[in-house]
Structures are given as C-alpha cells and as structure tokens.
Amino acid sequence: MWTIAKLTFREIVSKRIFLITILMTIAFVTLYGVAIHFAVQETGPMMSNTMDNALQNKFFASQLLGVGLYFSSFITALLAILSSVSSIASEVDSHQIDTWLMRPISRTQFVLGKVIGLGGLLVMYAIALFVSITLIHQIVGGEMMELPIGIAQMMKAVSIFILQPIILVTLGVMLSTRMTTLNAGIVLIILYGAAFIGGFVEQIGTLMEKAALINIGIVTSLIFPVDAMYRKMTVLLFDTADNPISFAQQGMFASASAPSNLMIIYAILYGAVMLFIAILTFKKRDV
Amino acid sequence: MNVIEASNLTKTYDGKGGISNVTLEIGEGIVYGFLGPNGAGKSTFVRTMLGLLNPTGGEGKLLGEPIGKPESREKVGYLPELFRYPDWLTGRKLLESHAELCNMPVRGRKKRIEEVIELVGLTGRDHEKIKGYSKGMSQRIGLACALLNDPKLIFLDEPTSALDPIGRKDVRDLMLYLKDQGKTIFLNSHLLNEVETVCDHVSIVHKGEHIVQGEWRQLMMIEAQVEIVIAANSNQYMNQLPEYVKYHEKKNDEGELTRWTVQMEKQEQVPALISSLASAGVPVFEVTPITPHLEDVFMHWVNQKEEGAYVDNR
C-alpha cells in the first residue's frame, strides 16, 4: 500500500503538469500579494478612523481574503480532479497496472495506496496555498487588512479546507475504477460545478430568505459536500461569520448560511463511502 | 507439488470470447508452452491465473494457493505481452519499487537488483529513464522485473515479440538457463519454433478452446512418415503394401535403388512395415523417419478438435 502511495505521489510530482501548476500557483500567490499591496496603497489614504470606515475596512479585507481562498480552493479542486480521474482508469487502459497488480498486493491495498498518495500530495498543496494566501493577506495588507484570526482558528479552518481535496480524490478514484478517464472527468467536473453553483444559490437564498433556493443549496451539498466544506471553513476562519453582520463583512465568498457541524461528519462519511465503493468496484473489475 | 493447477477454468465475456474449460496441471521445473494463434485466448488464461481477470467458471491454483489471493503471486514472475512501465522512472527505480511490492528483504535487494540487471543485459543503462528505452530494452527491463523476486514460476507472454533475432536468442538462452535453475516457465507463444526449442510440454489452444496437451514429442507424432530406400527391382511390391499404409509416393531413383515416402497412421506401424517388406523379400537399404512440419502438427490437432473432442495426452 505504501509503495503504491509513494509511487502515486512521485508520479504526479514528476509530471510536467504538476510543475506548471506549481509555477502558476507561485504566479497566482505573487499576483495576489501585489493586488493586496496596491489595494492598501490605493484605498488606505481614503479611509479615516471612523467606526463606519473600520467596518468598511473589515468588509474589504475579508472580501479580499475570501476571494483568495475561494480561488485557492478552486485550483486545489482542479488539481484533485485532474489527478484522481486518471489514477486507475489510465493505468488500466495502458495495461501499466498489470505488473503492479500481479505482485502480492490486494486490490484494496492498491486503491488505498492511490488515495493516500494523491490525498497526501493534495493536502500538502492545499495547506501550503491556504497558509500562503492568509499570510500574504495579513502581512502585505498590514494594519488595514488585519483580521482577528488566531492560530486555533487557522488550524480549524485548514482542517476543513483539506477535506475538499480529500473528498474530491475519493470520488475521483471511485469514478476512475468504474469508467474511463474522460467520462470520470466529465462527471466529476459537472458534480463540482453543481456544488459550486448550489453553494452560491444557497447564499443568495439565505440573503433573500427564499426557502426553495436554500433547499437547492442543501441538496447539492448532500450530493457533493465540497462547497459546503468551503463555507464551513470560512465560518471557522472568521469566527464572527454566523452573526448577523458577518455576511456584510464577507460577501459572497463566505457563508451567509453556515453549514452545521453535522455536515462535517457527513462529508467525512461521504469520503469514506466513496472509498469503500471504489474498493468494492475495483475488486470486481477485470483489468 | 503442482505449480499451476486449473480445473475447467473459464473466462468469457458475456458468454463469448476468452477461454473455456482449461484443465491442466504443471509440475515443478517444467517449461510449458501454451501455443495458439493470435486471439486464441492465451493471454486471457494467464491474466486470469494472475488474478487480473476474474474467472467466470472453474478454479485455479498457483503454487497451491487459489488464484486471486495475493499469496498465490508471492513467488511468481510475469512478463506481459502488452508491457508498459512507468516511463518517468529509471529502470533501477522500477526494480526497487517492485522489490518493495514483493516484500523482498531490504538487505538483499540491491544485490538482487544488480544480478537481474546483469542477467538481462541492461548493465550501464539502469539509471536511464524508461522513457528513453527502446522496445527491446523495455522488454529486457520487463524480464528483469519478472525475475526480480527469484520466482518459482514465471509467466512469459510472447516474450520475444518485440525483439530482434539476437534478442530472441538471448531470451531463449535465458529460458534454458532458468529451466536449468529448476524454474517452472509458462510460455505463451504463437511462434511454433520457439515453443519447440524450449518447451517440454505443450497445450494447444484455438478459438478459446483447449484442444490438446501433452509432451511435445508425443504431440509431434501425429503420423508416421518415413523415407525408405529399396532395391529398384522390388518396386512392384510397393503396390501391395499393407492396409495401414495411408499413402506412398516414389521420390526418386538412385541408380539401382529407389527412394519412397511412406505414410502410416501410427508410429508403431513402422516396424510392421519393415517386417512386411523383409518377409516379402524386398531388400531395405535405408529407413529415415520424417519429422512433420510444425504447422502441420498444429493444424492436425486443430482439425482433430473440429472433428472430435479434446485430447489429453498428459
């Protein structure tokens, strides 16, 4: 299992697409830092120290951090989708899997190895991106962008942030055991898109107090709880997020409708069930 | 102990294709040829034995363990026909990964890796990425993988298909070396002369059916054909040959002698023919058995199957 995990990890790292992703991530983080710098420079002199402006500052700061984290979540998700949907299907297609599976390892160990390798890499990537964005926001933004984020809040938020790639990887690997890379990719992107849109619909529904819109968001979260985890992460990061003024602070990239703690348990179970289905499917599959 | 056992092992796809009802037992130290044309189901059988395909019927064992269980593959090596290895790894890293998967003791790994690299002739190229390997080199690293865990049983699926004549000879020599080491080799091949060169026992498969199995020499005795040289003045006797002679033909005259080709149903009828000629007073100067063409042997058994039933010559 650990050998497969190591090989999976090394394989992704060795691919050109990973190098491109890392370079583009560095470019994104740099650009984000530059944007924060100019945002502070351009808007700073206009702000005075009145109560209204302090609130406006918080709103502005949380919006910029929310955008950075939302995009971070998006590129982590894309990397998770692209790497997981081909993890088993492409090896079956090319018969590369034959010489691995004829070794004295079980199919269960093979699937677990794939999930651990992919999940491990993506968790590291997600943590690095989350910490980079938050630190750049707080350091480059200085006093104007300062948000009351403690270490404990950061830890809690990161632990939920990394649930997103883990869920994506388990679902991606599960799809990869059942269908071709292309089909698995299409299904996973559509599901991710549905969760993404469902999340926004739910926020709008909460703002407008429309039950139907909220229910659509809840249903999409149950089908694919990735966006719900992002929303929960923002609640944990900005611990005032579920009070009445928090949405005013955070806008569309945070959570007007805060997912419950039960949703975290549901998301973890969701990943576990997907992994279980992946193992069952792969055990029965001819390669 | 039987190294390979299959009892009515079947793998079909919606009842079609694949291979049906293969029953065989292969002991230790045997080089076993699984012979058949492309698409006969040879690879399907091997892949089913290795647990890559789930059987649709029957059962099988490798080294006493039921197929599908990881334990059945502990001392097994495999060179697939469609070999493809992670091209981002170097040859050596590939072997190191396989050594880990085989649970080989860490202490002896490096030495064993060196040994197999040398055995397959990749010394000096093992630190290169597989991406840069030629097809022949890829096949060699595949062989190194197959031999890495010092297996008792090695499945070779068309092992010379990608090789040039020198490479083919190297692989044949390697098979003979492994045979001398007491390894059991299961050779899938459509190349009749390859099977003839190295195999002791053979199975012939055709269109997913197991046609015949047995010792290669026995399977070759599909008919008794001899060349006889008799005195030319006795040629008239050749029109009064016993009934078991299926066919005879004058080949050529050599002075006072004449050369004939005579075909009988069974090898055992050759002494009877000689006796019959001798008792008729025909001077026999030479009797030479004619080895049938490999293609003829193969077609003989295929036709036998189409006419009748499976032949077990074990």
Side-chain angles (χ1 to χ4, degrees):
Chain A
M1 182 175 78
W2 295 111
T3 310
I4 298 296
K6 267 196 288 181
L7 280 166
T8 307
F9 188 96
R10 277 196 229 144
E11 182 174 9
I12 299 172
V13 171
S14 74
K15 281 184 178 170
R16 192 177 293 268
I17 185 72
F18 186 75
L19 179 68
I20 293 169
T21 306
I22 293 297
L23 292 175
M24 295 308 288
T25 304
I26 293 168
F28 159 64
V29 171
T30 310
L31 195 67
Y32 184 73
V34 172
I36 296 287
H37 172 76
F38 281 106
V40 172
Q41 273 204 335
E42 296 291 316
T43 55
M46 292 155 55
M47 302 289 183
S48 58
N49 280 334
T50 62
M51 185 63 180
D52 279 354
N53 281 342
L55 270 178
Q56 209 175 337
N57 269 1
K58 296 289 177 208
F59 170 74
F60 191 52
S62 62
Q63 276 291 285
L64 279 174
L65 184 56
V67 169
L69 290 177
Y70 202 90
F71 190 69
S72 301
S73 150
F74 179 72
I75 51 177
T76 307
L78 274 187
L79 191 60
I81 292 169
L82 293 176
S83 53
S84 63
V85 292
S86 64
S87 59
I88 288 178
S90 69
E91 286 202 24
V92 172
D93 287 345
S94 68
H95 286 283
Q96 193 172 294
I97 206 166
D98 293 5
T99 48
W100 298 130
L101 287 183
M102 67 73 49
R103 292 302 181 196
I105 57 165
S106 65
R107 300 272 179 115
T108 304
Q109 287 173 311
F110 190 83
V111 172
L112 286 175
K114 283 280 173 192
V115 169
I116 291 169
L118 283 168
L121 180 77
L122 285 155
V123 163
M124 283 164 64
Y125 177 79
I127 292 172
L129 200 51
F130 184 96
V131 172
S132 306
I133 291 294
T134 311
L135 286 181
I136 283 172
H137 181 272
Q138 291 295 283
I139 294 167
V140 179
E143 201 180 327
M144 190 188 153
M145 294 285 173
E146 195 182 340
L147 288 167
I149 300 171
I151 296 288
Q153 280 168 269
M154 277 276 275
M155 298 284 275
K156 280 185 202 168
V158 165
S159 61
I160 301 301
F161 190 75
I162 61 172
L163 271 181
Q164 295 177 83
I166 291 173
I167 294 164
L168 276 160
V169 163
T170 55
L171 182 58
V173 170
M174 189 278 280
L175 292 171
S176 191
T177 61
R178 301 179 81 94
M179 50 186 84
T180 63
T181 301
L182 184 64
N183 291 349
I186 291 169
V187 171
L188 195 49
I189 284 172
I190 289 173
L191 277 174
Y192 181 72
F196 179 90
I197 291 165
F200 276 106
V201 168
E202 190 179 346
Q203 305 311 306
I204 293 164
T206 307
L207 270 181
M208 295 169 66
E209 295 179 353
K210 299 286 182 194
L213 297 184
I214 295 170
N215 289 339
I216 288 171
I218 291 169
V219 170
T220 52
S221 293
L222 291 174
I223 294 170
F224 198 32
V226 168
D227 194 77
M229 287 305 96
Y230 173 80
R231 306 286 167 189
K232 186 68 187 175
M233 180 275 294
T234 61
V235 171
L236 295 170
L237 188 63
F238 311 116
D239 68 350
T240 53
D242 49 358
N243 77 31
I245 60 164
S246 68
F247 182 70
Q249 281 185 335
Q250 294 162 29
M252 290 301 288
F253 294 104
S255 182
S257 164
S260 66
N261 287 336
L262 207 59
M263 196 64 203
I264 300 173
I265 295 166
Y266 176 80
I268 293 168
L269 281 176
Y270 185 94
V273 169
M274 289 306 143
L275 181 59
F276 183 65
I277 295 171
I279 290 168
L280 279 188
T281 310
F282 194 54
K283 270 186 174 177
K284 291 180 193 158
R285 181 170 177 176
D286 288 336
V287 299
Chain B
M1 186 185 85
N2 285 323
V3 177
I4 300 178
E5 287 173 58
S7 171
N8 289 315
L9 192 71
T10 300
K11 174 62 190 177
T12 52
Y13 303 91
D14 298 325
K16 295 173 199 160
I19 192 141
S20 301
N21 299 315
V22 177
T23 298
L24 49 82
E25 287 169 358
I26 302 172
E28 286 179 61
I30 286 174
V31 182
Y32 197 94
F34 209 53
L35 188 62
N38 292 331
K42 304 187 296 293
S43 297
T44 303
F45 175 73
V46 170
R47 293 164 62 74
T48 307
M49 290 304 290
L50 288 168
L52 300 173
L53 303 176
N54 294 301
T56 47
E59 51 192 43
K61 283 183 181 175
L62 292 179
L63 299 158
E65 294 287 343
I67 56 170
K69 281 177 73 179
E71 293 79 12
S72 70
R73 304 187 291 270
E74 268 173 8
K75 277 291 180 187
V76 176
Y78 171 48
L79 175 70
E81 182 184 11
L82 299 165
F83 57 92
R84 175 123 186 249
Y85 300 96
D87 58 7
W88 49 275
L89 283 175
T90 63
R92 182 172 285 269
K93 288 278 178 204
L94 177 75
L95 293 173
E96 285 170 2
S97 302
H98 275 272
E100 276 183 44
L101 286 174
C102 294
N103 302 316
M104 285 171 66
V106 179
R107 191 168 283 185
R109 265 183 213 170
K110 201 177 168 197
K111 188 168 171 264
R112 181 63 188 158
I113 288 170
E114 296 288 351
E115 279 171 9
V116 290
I117 285 172
E118 195 182 336
L119 192 64
V120 300
L122 274 180
T123 308
R125 308 294 300 269
D126 52 306
H127 289 288
E128 292 174 26
K129 283 199 173 170
I130 294 171
K131 200 188 301 184
Y133 281 11
S134 66
K135 211 172 175 189
M137 282 171 72
S138 297
Q139 191 123 352
R140 284 169 191 271
I141 197 71
L143 271 169
C145 277
L147 303 176
L148 183 66
N149 58 338
D150 193 21
K152 288 183 178 168
L153 164 66
I154 306 151
F155 286 97
L156 301 174
D157 197 351
E158 305 283 4
T160 58
S161 58
L163 300 179
D164 56 27
I166 297 169
R168 284 181 187 197
K169 187 180 176 303
D170 287 349
V171 172
R172 278 182 206 148
D173 291 346
L174 183 63
M175 282 194 270
L176 293 170
Y177 166 77
L178 293 169
K179 184 183 175 182
D180 289 344
Q181 302 260 305
K183 311 287 184 196
T184 303
I185 301 174
F186 190 94
L187 172 66
N188 255 9
S189 183
H190 69 277
L191 301 173
L192 295 160
N193 57 349
E194 183 170 274
V195 172
E196 186 198 21
T197 312
V198 292
C199 296
D200 316 304
H201 289 69
V202 167
S203 269
I204 294 178
V205 283
H206 186 56
K207 291 182 184 168
E209 287 190 75
H210 197 201
I211 291 173
V212 63
Q213 64 173 311
E215 275 192 52
W216 185 227
R217 279 180 215 87
Q218 282 185 328
L219 295 190
M220 289 284 281
M221 292 178 195
I222 53 169
E223 56 195 16
Q225 212 173 24
V226 288
E227 260 186 16
I228 56 170
V229 179
I230 58 171
N233 58 12
S234 303
N235 278 348
Q236 72 277 6
Y237 178 77
M238 296 308 280
N239 296 323
Q240 302 156 35
L241 287 170
E243 277 183 7
Y244 53 76
V245 174
K246 285 166 66 184
Y247 167 82
H248 68 280
E249 185 190 9
K250 188 176 167 183
K251 295 283 283 182
N252 57 301
D253 288 319
E254 299 167 3
E256 292 181 350
L257 303 176
T258 306
R259 189 174 290 272
W260 291 81
T261 302
V262 181
Q263 189 182 327
M264 288 144 287
E265 285 170 352
K266 296 173 189 165
Q267 201 78 24
E268 300 84 63
Q269 289 162 341
V270 177
L273 173 71
I274 309 296
S275 302
S276 138
L277 289 168
S279 57
V282 177
V284 179
F285 291 86
E286 193 181 321
V287 179
T288 314
I290 299 173
T291 310
H293 288 295
L294 296 170
E295 286 78 9
D296 295 337
V297 176
F298 182 77
M299 288 314 298
H300 167 83
W301 291 112
V302 169
N303 292 335
Q304 282 272 98
K305 175 68 183 178
E306 278 167 11
E307 286 165 17
Y310 164 73
V311 183
D312 192 342
N313 274 346
R314 278 179 291 174

XYZ file of all heavy atoms in Angstrom, chain A residues 3-4 6-7 10-11 14 94-96 98-107 283-287, chain B residues 11 47 51-54 70 73-74 76 78 80 82 84-86 88 94 97-98 100-102 145 149:
429
model
N 3.951 1.515 -0.870
C 4.739 1.613 -2.108
C 3.893 2.247 -3.204
O 4.361 3.114 -3.950
C 5.197 0.203 -2.560
O 5.799 -0.436 -1.449
C 6.171 0.274 -3.709
N 2.635 1.825 -3.294
C 1.735 2.400 -4.298
C 1.516 3.885 -3.991
O 1.520 4.722 -4.902
C 0.381 1.636 -4.328
C 0.598 0.163 -4.720
C -0.633 2.311 -5.261
C 1.144 -0.067 -6.113
N 3.570 5.893 -2.443
C 4.814 6.612 -2.792
C 4.927 6.812 -4.301
O 5.267 7.888 -4.787
C 6.033 5.803 -2.307
C 6.522 6.193 -0.938
C 7.923 5.666 -0.692
C 7.934 4.165 -0.482
N 9.257 3.587 -0.224
N 4.616 5.727 -5.031
C 4.699 5.803 -6.498
C 3.709 6.825 -7.045
O 4.028 7.587 -7.955
C 4.400 4.427 -7.110
C 5.551 3.434 -7.106
C 5.044 2.032 -7.403
C 6.600 3.827 -8.152
N 4.999 10.286 -6.277
C 6.156 10.622 -7.117
C 5.742 10.819 -8.577
O 6.295 11.651 -9.272
C 7.196 9.509 -7.049
C 8.086 9.609 -5.843
C 9.309 8.715 -6.085
N 9.540 7.862 -4.941
C 9.979 6.614 -5.021
N 10.207 6.058 -6.176
N 10.193 5.914 -3.943
N 4.769 10.029 -9.007
C 4.343 10.128 -10.409
C 3.776 11.521 -10.700
O 4.129 12.147 -11.688
C 3.290 9.058 -10.725
C 2.871 9.105 -12.186
C 1.937 7.977 -12.583
O 1.466 7.246 -11.704
O 1.672 7.866 -13.798
N 6.414 14.120 -10.719
C 7.307 14.032 -11.890
C 6.667 14.571 -13.166
O 7.354 14.797 -14.150
C 7.717 12.581 -12.124
O 6.632 11.857 -12.665
N -3.748 1.498 -20.306
C -2.407 1.288 -20.864
C -1.806 -0.051 -20.448
O -0.715 -0.393 -20.885
C -1.476 2.405 -20.396
O -1.259 2.302 -19.007
N -2.499 -0.780 -19.577
C -2.011 -2.055 -19.030
C -0.796 -1.875 -18.117
O -0.137 -2.850 -17.778
C -1.688 -3.066 -20.133
C -2.912 -3.650 -20.751
N -3.655 -4.629 -20.146
C -3.551 -3.353 -21.900
C -4.679 -4.935 -20.903
N -4.656 -4.160 -21.968
N -0.509 -0.635 -17.748
C 0.601 -0.400 -16.832
C 0.307 -1.034 -15.465
O 1.212 -1.414 -14.738
C 0.793 1.116 -16.674
C 2.092 1.505 -16.018
C 2.283 3.006 -16.073
O 2.439 3.588 -17.134
N 2.233 3.645 -14.930
N -0.960 -3.877 -14.863
C -0.806 -5.343 -14.812
C 0.358 -5.787 -13.931
O 0.218 -6.685 -13.105
C -0.592 -5.915 -16.221
C -1.830 -5.758 -17.083
O -2.799 -5.137 -16.623
O -1.813 -6.255 -18.227
N 1.513 -5.154 -14.158
C 2.687 -5.627 -13.428
C 2.652 -5.220 -11.950
O 3.334 -5.820 -11.136
C 3.996 -5.123 -14.063
O 3.880 -3.730 -14.292
C 4.282 -5.839 -15.368
N 1.870 -4.190 -11.619
C 1.723 -3.853 -10.188
C 0.790 -4.868 -9.523
O 1.090 -5.384 -8.460
C 1.138 -2.449 -9.989
C 1.934 -1.299 -10.527
C 1.456 -0.294 -11.319
C 3.327 -0.995 -10.330
N 2.461 0.600 -11.623
C 3.619 0.191 -11.030
C 4.355 -1.630 -9.632
C 4.894 0.769 -11.051
C 5.627 -1.061 -9.653
C 5.881 0.120 -10.353
N -0.343 -5.111 -10.198
C -1.362 -5.959 -9.558
C -0.986 -7.432 -9.515
O -1.607 -8.191 -8.778
C -2.707 -5.801 -10.277
C -3.440 -4.488 -10.041
C -4.773 -4.498 -10.754
C -3.661 -4.219 -8.563
N 0.001 -7.838 -10.331
C 0.380 -9.251 -10.248
C 1.340 -9.505 -9.086
O 1.692 -10.633 -8.794
C 0.953 -9.771 -11.571
C 2.258 -9.226 -12.046
S 3.737 -9.780 -11.155
C 3.482 -11.544 -11.120
N 1.701 -8.450 -8.406
C 2.521 -8.598 -7.198
C 1.610 -9.002 -6.034
O 0.387 -8.814 -6.117
C 3.236 -7.284 -6.884
C 4.303 -6.908 -7.921
C 5.335 -7.969 -8.044
N 6.389 -7.663 -9.007
C 7.219 -8.585 -9.484
N 7.100 -9.850 -9.122
N 8.150 -8.262 -10.341
N 2.203 -9.513 -4.961
C 1.332 -9.970 -3.855
C 0.707 -8.821 -3.056
O 0.968 -8.647 -1.873
C 2.272 -10.818 -3.001
C 3.635 -10.358 -3.326
C 3.612 -9.838 -4.724
N -0.081 -8.012 -3.754
C -0.845 -6.966 -3.056
C -2.317 -7.134 -3.437
O -2.624 -7.629 -4.524
C -0.379 -5.528 -3.404
C -0.452 -5.267 -4.920
C 1.003 -5.247 -2.881
C -0.372 -3.803 -5.271
N -3.196 -6.729 -2.534
C -4.629 -6.862 -2.812
C -5.117 -5.619 -3.555
O -4.455 -4.573 -3.544
C -5.400 -7.041 -1.513
O -5.284 -5.864 -0.741
N -6.277 -5.750 -4.143
C -6.874 -4.595 -4.831
C -7.173 -3.480 -3.818
O -7.047 -2.301 -4.132
C -8.166 -5.018 -5.533
C -7.982 -6.108 -6.594
C -7.662 -5.509 -7.927
N -7.458 -6.510 -8.944
C -8.244 -6.678 -10.014
N -9.296 -5.911 -10.185
N -7.965 -7.597 -10.909
N -12.334 -4.367 -6.882
C -12.130 -5.800 -6.598
C -12.786 -6.656 -7.668
O -12.284 -7.713 -8.012
C -12.756 -6.150 -5.241
C -11.815 -5.995 -4.084
C -12.474 -6.493 -2.834
C -11.518 -6.482 -1.662
N -12.161 -6.890 -0.428
N -13.937 -6.188 -8.173
C -14.684 -6.986 -9.151
C -14.243 -6.713 -10.582
O -14.618 -7.431 -11.496
C -16.186 -6.658 -9.042
C -16.809 -7.158 -7.760
C -18.269 -6.799 -7.738
C -18.855 -6.983 -6.354
N -20.054 -6.194 -6.142
N -13.459 -5.675 -10.760
C -13.154 -5.247 -12.131
C -12.051 -6.097 -12.779
O -11.054 -6.431 -12.134
C -12.719 -3.772 -12.108
C -12.427 -3.273 -13.496
C -12.223 -1.791 -13.541
N -11.885 -1.434 -14.908
C -11.713 -0.212 -15.346
N -11.863 0.794 -14.533
N -11.403 0.016 -16.590
N -12.265 -6.404 -14.047
C -11.204 -7.025 -14.844
C -10.285 -5.906 -15.313
O -10.767 -4.856 -15.731
C -11.793 -7.714 -16.079
C -12.555 -8.974 -15.714
O -12.273 -9.560 -14.653
O -13.441 -9.375 -16.484
N -8.987 -6.153 -15.247
C -8.076 -5.082 -15.708
C -7.322 -5.528 -16.960
O -7.315 -6.670 -17.310
C -7.086 -4.649 -14.613
C -7.825 -4.103 -13.420
C -6.172 -5.789 -14.200
N -12.935 -18.065 -18.695
C -13.125 -16.613 -18.637
C -13.722 -16.182 -19.971
O -13.038 -16.190 -20.999
C -11.783 -15.897 -18.404
C -11.890 -14.381 -18.482
C -12.810 -13.816 -17.433
C -13.108 -12.348 -17.640
N -14.057 -11.834 -16.642
N -3.774 -14.079 -17.657
C -4.266 -12.942 -16.862
C -5.296 -13.399 -15.830
O -5.392 -12.821 -14.756
C -4.826 -11.859 -17.782
C -3.727 -11.213 -18.644
C -4.293 -10.436 -19.808
N -5.125 -9.332 -19.369
C -4.651 -8.202 -18.842
N -3.357 -8.026 -18.771
N -5.461 -7.264 -18.436
N -4.945 -13.296 -11.550
C -5.917 -12.505 -10.797
C -6.226 -11.158 -11.429
O -6.899 -10.333 -10.821
N -5.730 -10.937 -12.644
C -6.040 -9.659 -13.310
C -7.446 -9.700 -13.890
O -8.116 -8.673 -14.019
C -5.021 -9.374 -14.423
C -3.566 -9.257 -13.967
C -2.632 -9.141 -15.159
C -3.384 -8.064 -13.043
N -7.890 -10.893 -14.252
C -9.262 -11.091 -14.730
C -9.957 -12.036 -13.753
O -9.330 -12.962 -13.237
C -9.267 -11.715 -16.133
C -8.525 -10.961 -17.239
C -8.548 -11.779 -18.531
C -9.144 -9.597 -17.479
N -11.223 -11.784 -13.529
C -11.981 -12.666 -12.643
C -12.560 -13.812 -13.465
O -13.228 -13.565 -14.475
C -13.123 -11.888 -11.983
C -12.597 -10.825 -11.047
O -11.880 -11.127 -10.109
N -12.919 -9.574 -11.322
N -3.508 -12.689 -2.946
C -2.147 -12.161 -3.113
C -1.076 -13.214 -2.853
O -0.035 -13.221 -3.504
C -2.074 -11.033 -2.081
C -3.491 -10.600 -1.883
C -4.327 -11.834 -2.061
N 0.603 -15.135 -5.636
C 1.528 -14.463 -6.547
C 2.878 -14.143 -5.896
O 3.709 -13.460 -6.495
C 0.889 -13.170 -7.066
C -0.458 -13.385 -7.752
C -0.976 -12.127 -8.381
N -1.374 -11.122 -7.429
C -2.584 -10.988 -6.899
N -3.545 -11.827 -7.251
N -2.853 -10.025 -6.044
N 3.076 -14.644 -4.664
C 4.302 -14.283 -3.941
C 5.573 -14.713 -4.652
O 6.562 -13.994 -4.667
C 4.265 -14.881 -2.526
C 3.662 -13.914 -1.539
C 3.451 -14.506 -0.175
O 3.900 -15.636 0.067
O 2.802 -13.819 0.642
N 5.852 -15.586 -7.968
C 5.513 -15.642 -9.391
C 6.101 -14.421 -10.095
O 6.106 -13.324 -9.537
C 3.972 -15.677 -9.566
C 3.590 -15.629 -11.045
C 3.389 -16.940 -8.933
N 6.115 -12.320 -13.994
C 5.237 -12.180 -15.166
C 5.790 -11.131 -16.119
O 6.077 -10.005 -15.709
C 3.845 -11.780 -14.677
C 2.839 -11.384 -15.742
C 2.641 -12.166 -16.873
C 2.063 -10.232 -15.582
C 1.700 -11.803 -17.829
C 1.118 -9.871 -16.535
C 0.941 -10.655 -17.660
O 0.005 -10.301 -18.597
N 4.297 -9.371 -19.235
C 3.091 -9.280 -20.064
C 3.415 -9.049 -21.530
O 4.486 -8.541 -21.864
C 2.337 -8.089 -19.477
C 3.340 -7.301 -18.744
C 4.490 -8.183 -18.404
N 1.587 -7.015 -23.467
C 1.456 -5.564 -23.638
C 2.173 -4.898 -22.471
O 1.551 -4.378 -21.562
C -0.026 -5.174 -23.652
C -0.847 -5.786 -24.778
C -2.328 -5.633 -24.496
C -0.501 -5.130 -26.102
N 4.033 -2.292 -20.357
C 4.197 -0.840 -20.284
C 4.558 -0.515 -18.849
O 3.887 -0.947 -17.919
C 2.890 -0.167 -20.710
C 2.917 1.312 -20.549
C 2.624 2.080 -21.819
N 2.824 3.488 -21.587
C 1.847 4.366 -21.554
N 0.610 3.981 -21.789
N 2.094 5.628 -21.308
N 5.623 0.196 -18.687
C 6.098 0.523 -17.350
C 6.113 2.038 -17.195
O 6.189 2.758 -18.186
C 7.491 -0.082 -17.134
C 7.467 -1.573 -17.271
C 7.792 -2.203 -18.466
C 7.045 -2.357 -16.211
C 7.718 -3.578 -18.593
C 6.964 -3.726 -16.331
C 7.305 -4.332 -17.523
O 7.216 -5.690 -17.647
N 6.042 2.530 -15.944
C 6.022 3.983 -15.743
C 7.267 4.617 -16.353
O 8.376 4.379 -15.872
C 6.002 4.142 -14.225
C 5.616 2.817 -13.686
C 6.056 1.796 -14.678
N 8.421 7.491 -16.349
C 9.075 8.553 -15.591
C 10.070 7.977 -14.580
O 10.838 8.720 -13.967
C 8.047 9.435 -14.882
C 7.027 8.648 -14.109
C 5.879 8.091 -14.588
C 7.089 8.289 -12.734
N 5.230 7.404 -13.600
C 5.943 7.525 -12.448
C 7.998 8.551 -11.704
C 5.686 7.005 -11.181
C 7.739 8.043 -10.446
C 6.593 7.277 -10.195
N 12.384 1.389 -10.996
C 11.271 0.473 -11.251
C 11.503 -0.839 -10.498
O 10.599 -1.349 -9.817
C 11.141 0.196 -12.753
C 10.054 -0.811 -13.123
C 8.672 -0.194 -13.012
C 10.256 -1.359 -14.521
N 10.982 -0.418 -6.808
C 9.554 -0.392 -6.443
C 8.981 -1.798 -6.439
O 8.216 -2.163 -5.534
C 8.769 0.472 -7.438
O 9.281 1.764 -7.463
N 9.349 -2.589 -7.438
C 8.850 -3.968 -7.481
C 9.399 -4.784 -6.309
O 8.696 -5.624 -5.764
C 9.201 -4.620 -8.821
C 8.195 -4.313 -9.883
N 7.063 -5.073 -10.092
C 8.115 -3.305 -10.770
C 6.361 -4.545 -11.071
N 6.972 -3.466 -11.502
N 10.029 -3.673 -3.385
C 9.216 -3.306 -2.210
C 7.883 -4.034 -2.245
O 7.421 -4.559 -1.234
C 8.947 -1.794 -2.218
C 10.057 -0.972 -1.623
C 9.700 0.503 -1.584
O 8.574 0.858 -1.211
O 10.571 1.320 -1.973
N 7.252 -4.059 -3.426
C 5.950 -4.711 -3.540
C 6.048 -6.217 -3.288
O 5.086 -6.834 -2.847
C 5.351 -4.466 -4.933
C 4.809 -3.067 -5.189
C 4.390 -2.915 -6.630
C 3.620 -2.755 -4.282
N 7.204 -6.776 -3.591
C 7.407 -8.221 -3.373
C 7.828 -8.519 -1.932
O 8.085 -9.677 -1.601
C 8.492 -8.756 -4.297
S 8.049 -8.692 -6.013
N 12.099 -7.402 -14.164
C 11.012 -7.318 -13.167
C 10.464 -8.715 -12.887
O 10.203 -9.074 -11.736
C 9.862 -6.457 -13.695
S 10.110 -4.728 -13.467
N 12.072 -11.303 -8.023
C 11.792 -11.933 -6.718
C 12.195 -13.410 -6.692
O 11.696 -14.163 -5.867
C 10.317 -11.774 -6.358
C 9.401 -12.370 -7.403
O 9.789 -12.530 -8.557
N 8.184 -12.696 -7.024
